[in-house]
Amino acid sequence: MKKYISILTLSAGLLFQACTKLDQEFYSSVTPETFYKSEKDIKAALFRPFTHAKWYLGEDRWRLQEYTADNFAITTKGRHWYNGGENERYHYHKWTADDGWIWGTWRGTLMGVALALDTKNDLSKLDYTKFALSADQQQADMAQLDALISYFYLRGLDYFGGMPIFESLDQESLPRNTDQELFLHIEKLLKAALNNLPAKKTGDKEEGAIRKAAVAAMLAQLYFNAEAYIGKPMYEESRQLSQALINKEYGDYQLDPTWNGVHGFKNNNSPEIIWSMPSEFKMLEYNWFYADFYHYNTREYFSQDMGGNNGAHLTPSRKPDGTLYSSDFKLGSPFETFSAGDFRKSPYRYLGTENYEGMFIVGPHLSPDGKAILGGEEYNKQPLNFVDQVARFSEVGQGKKYSSVAQLPSKMSEGEENTGIRLVKVPIPNLANNTLRWGADMPVIRLAEIYYMLAECEFRVGDKTKAVSLINNVRKRNFKDNIDLNPVTTANIDKYRFLDEWSIEFIGEGRRRTDLIRWKAFTTENWWDHSPSNSSHLNRFPIPNQAIAGNNMLEQNPGY
């Protein structure tokens, strides 16, 4: 823990040395009482661990959740993206304790805890009245930091199981606590924070602060997945909290009336968002996603100036011959899981003045003025057409590797530059409206998740009717005149329909692996180019070898 803080302090010191000419006055030591001069300084300190949380929500954490599951893949595309077999290892559940995404996630989790503890240590020593702030405000700030520590540990519990529990910056090289001990620590912090944070009032905008409802939601999430975490079902506890959230007992939230209100450029105004990470132009919080998903020439599609790396896409719904995979496996096929008539299933198109439609890049790749966008690899100088398939169609023909489409294999090694449908969950404006770029905040918790958690809890205790009603209340906004063309019914609701609904509503929001594990499907089900391992130890990632090398008190997870 000290090591993380030392690295961060050193980085800050180097930054100031490079950018600031210091006055000829030096201090032998800096204490919170001498460093903090105003309320602005307190807020800056409080926000620092939240900027780490913003980073933590994306990149490697997102990749561990999504590329190991059934909705997304990074296929090898000719000479691109094999990456030493890394992408295939995650897809086939053959990762190792040396893989980078796993190390980045372990390290990032504990760095988040360290940053929050560091800030908490400083702010707890201050006399807030000297800054014209109340003791209640100080207590609320401490509660926000406890909730943020809980968030990092909750994610760490999900990825790794038990982790070392740090409660002070003086501790280092601690052994791992058990899953149960970490679960109880998270629960204790959240329950304490719940009593000391304000609730959202009607008309309040979401600005990134953790309020009472976000803490209640995290506690509900902890209980919701308790069976996977500690082997004890706690759906009733999650059900009670979820119902209370929907009843507005922890603040005034309601479902957004439009499908894209929670994801659009001004989503901080959405009544549905319980907690989000703020964003703004040029801060590039989503540039990792843009780079992973979009073709080099997709900038012409968006009428933008950013080129992508053309790696990731949805797993295919169709075989090379065009027939659906639906009879081959029950998971995956994410694009065709969306019903016909669903607003989200349309191709993405920016309409100007902050408006857009659709959520996917699919079919002929055209610029806003209708001009064909050309490829640069297998389809060099030919029009691009993004297909819901994975196969080397460019190698079919007379004198080529395959004489017919029927011979084409479909697997991780067989991608092309136009392989796979691309998700546009975060809207992209054109250059004319470029001040909107990255304007959409990153939702962490939204009320739709609470509806779905409550629905699943009700289903598990036998109330199918209520479960169906809760899901359909969310689904209907995605259809014209709120008329759902494929509603959930008491006849069709089961494990697989639930997994479909979680996939549809939260596609690309970095949670898929957790949902599969809760339904005991992560290691037991097959999907495109993935066979089940039936090895339950894979529900947890290994403790990175780099972490163990730095702390020989850490024990590896079973099975690795």
Side-chain angles (χ1 to χ4, degrees):
M1 183 64 70
K2 285 181 179 178
K3 189 181 296 182
Y4 293 135
I5 294 300
S6 298
I7 291 170
L8 292 163
T9 303
L10 177 62
S11 299
L14 292 173
L15 176 65
F16 279 109
Q17 287 177 28
C19 302
T20 307
K21 181 179 180 181
L22 298 177
D23 293 331
Q24 295 301 309
E25 183 176 0
F26 301 90
Y27 297 91
S28 60
S29 64
V30 177
T31 66
E33 292 83 356
T34 60
F35 180 79
Y36 293 91
K37 302 295 185 182
S38 67
E39 180 184 358
K40 183 179 179 180
D41 293 333
I42 292 174
K43 287 184 175 180
L46 184 63
F47 294 160
R48 175 62 187 94
F50 281 84
T51 62
H52 180 79
K54 184 188 299 182
W55 163 82
Y56 183 87
L57 278 162
E59 303 192 38
D60 290 352
R61 274 63 52 202
W62 190 97
R63 292 169 182 137
L64 288 182
Q65 284 284 68
E66 300 289 2
Y67 295 141
T68 62
D70 59 327
N71 280 345
F72 295 97
I74 302 178
T75 53
T76 300
K77 300 170 183 63
R79 61 196 177 106
H80 298 292
W81 283 104
Y82 178 65
N83 286 13
E86 178 183 51
N87 301 317
E88 292 186 5
R89 286 198 301 277
Y90 286 110
H91 186 81
Y92 297 141
H93 290 190
K94 295 183 179 179
W95 51 76
T96 74
D98 291 315
D99 278 318
W101 298 349
I102 295 171
W103 164 237
T105 298
W106 174 273
R107 181 172 176 271
T109 301
L110 290 180
M111 283 187 71
V113 173
L115 283 165
L117 281 174
D118 187 37
T119 302
K120 185 180 176 183
N121 180 59
D122 280 356
L123 298 189
S124 67
K125 296 176 181 177
L126 298 180
D127 180 355
Y128 266 46
T129 61
K130 292 182 178 180
F131 304 92
L133 298 172
S134 67
D136 287 346
Q137 182 61 54
Q138 187 172 26
Q139 197 172 36
D141 288 351
M142 297 298 103
Q144 279 210 63
L145 292 166
D146 278 343
L148 194 57
I149 291 168
S150 301
Y151 171 76
F152 286 120
Y153 270 138
L154 178 57
R155 301 311 311 144
L157 177 64
D158 189 273
Y159 290 123
F160 301 105
M163 299 187 77
I165 295 177
F166 291 96
E167 299 186 80
S168 164
L169 297 179
D170 296 327
Q171 300 168 293
E172 60 179 318
S173 297
L174 296 180
R176 293 175 66 190
N177 288 80
T178 65
D179 304 347
Q180 177 75 23
E181 288 167 343
L182 184 56
F183 183 97
L184 292 175
H185 182 65
I186 296 166
E187 182 184 44
K188 179 186 72 174
L189 290 176
L190 289 173
K191 284 184 173 179
L194 193 60
N195 295 324
N196 295 313
L197 284 172
K200 177 187 175 184
K201 298 177 182 178
T202 303
D204 285 351
K205 291 184 178 181
E206 170 55 31
E207 296 178 342
I210 297 177
R211 295 189 177 104
K212 194 178 288 289
V215 175
M218 281 190 270
L219 194 55
Q221 291 170 339
L222 179 69
Y223 295 145
F224 190 52
N225 293 290
E227 186 173 12
Y229 296 158
I230 59 172
K232 178 185 177 183
M234 299 183 72
Y235 294 107
E236 177 57 28
E237 290 85 344
S238 183
R239 188 190 71 80
Q240 292 177 17
L241 281 164
S242 297
Q243 186 65 69
L245 282 159
I246 290 172
N247 292 346
K248 303 187 179 184
E249 293 179 27
Y250 295 106
D252 186 10
Y253 301 90
Q254 57 187 331
L255 292 174
D256 200 295
T258 63
W259 73 268
N260 57 1
V262 291
H263 305 294
F265 299 105
K266 303 292 184 180
N267 62 344
N268 62 307
N269 295 321
S270 173
E272 182 174 320
I273 292 182
I274 294 173
W275 181 30
S276 67
M277 292 295 171
S279 175
E280 62 182 276
F281 178 55
K282 290 186 178 179
M283 291 186 69
L284 302 180
E285 283 81 4
Y286 294 102
N287 64 345
W288 64 272
F289 189 95
Y290 189 102
D292 273 10
F293 271 80
Y294 305 137
H295 189 277
Y296 333 111
N297 295 331
T298 294
R299 60 181 178 271
E300 299 175 41
Y301 180 83
F302 290 129
S303 188
Q304 265 290 349
D305 59 0
M306 303 175 291
N309 297 328
N310 197 33
H313 51 81
L314 273 64
T315 54
S317 303
R318 296 181 181 274
K319 304 174 187 179
D321 65 7
T323 58
L324 292 170
Y325 279 116
S326 55
S327 61
D328 295 70
F329 38 76
K330 295 181 178 180
L331 296 180
S333 301
F335 185 69
E336 287 301 329
T337 303
F338 285 82
S339 302
D342 190 320
F343 293 138
R344 296 167 295 185
K345 200 175 184 181
S346 303
Y348 174 82
R349 190 161 66 101
Y350 180 65
L351 304 175
T353 62
E354 303 176 8
N355 296 312
Y356 68 98
E357 64 183 14
M359 205 166 69
F360 296 102
I361 295 176
V362 54
H365 211 33
L366 306 174
S367 65
D369 61 3
K371 179 183 176 182
I373 299 170
L374 306 182
E377 295 290 333
E378 291 89 355
Y379 300 97
N380 186 37
K381 297 183 180 180
Q382 299 177 53
L384 284 171
N385 181 51
F386 287 97
V387 297
D388 195 11
Q389 297 156 291
V390 174
R392 299 283 296 174
F393 293 99
S394 61
E395 296 181 354
V396 176
Q398 187 174 2
K400 295 186 178 182
K401 185 174 182 179
Y402 303 102
S403 60
S404 70
V405 168
Q407 294 179 325
L408 286 174
S410 183
K411 55 185 180 178
M412 285 289 288
S413 61
E414 303 300 305
E416 297 182 316
E417 65 177 313
N418 68 331
T419 287
I421 293 173
R422 314 302 169 92
L423 176 67
V424 190
K425 198 72 180 262
V426 180
I428 306 294
N430 57 26
L431 280 173
N433 294 144
N434 215 25
T435 54
L436 295 173
R437 195 165 86 188
W438 318 123
D441 292 345
M442 182 185 293
V444 185
I445 303 171
R446 52 193 181 93
L447 192 63
E449 179 185 359
I450 310 304
Y451 269 72
Y452 277 44
M453 285 200 299
L454 180 56
E456 189 174 316
C457 290
E458 297 290 359
F459 174 81
R460 289 178 183 272
V461 299
D463 193 340
K464 289 186 176 182
T465 300
K466 186 170 183 180
V468 164
S469 176
L470 287 160
I471 294 175
N472 287 337
N473 275 339
V474 179
R475 279 184 57 92
K476 65 184 181 182
R477 67 185 176 190
N478 303 299
F479 298 88
K480 185 178 180 181
D481 299 324
N482 285 342
I483 300 174
D484 189 344
L485 301 180
N486 182 27
V488 180
T489 68
T490 56
N492 67 26
I493 192 170
D494 61 9
K495 167 183 176 176
Y496 297 104
R497 182 65 191 250
F498 257 111
L499 283 170
D500 282 352
E501 293 304 324
W502 280 110
S503 171
I504 292 166
E505 179 62 29
F506 297 95
I507 190 167
E509 295 190 39
R511 62 170 299 128
R512 186 59 173 170
R513 167 187 157 274
T514 300
D515 292 330
L516 293 177
I517 291 173
R518 190 179 59 259
W519 280 102
K520 298 179 174 61
F522 188 61
T523 62
T524 62
E525 297 277 348
N526 63 335
W527 50 84
W528 174 77
D529 196 28
H530 175 92
S531 299
S533 66
N534 293 307
S535 300
S536 60
H537 77 277
L538 294 172
N539 288 330
R540 301 276 172 80
F541 291 108
I543 307 307
N545 284 333
Q546 281 184 265
I548 294 174
N551 177 6
N552 60 15
M553 297 181 71
L554 295 175
E555 292 186 7
Q556 185 56 271
N557 274 329
Y560 291 105

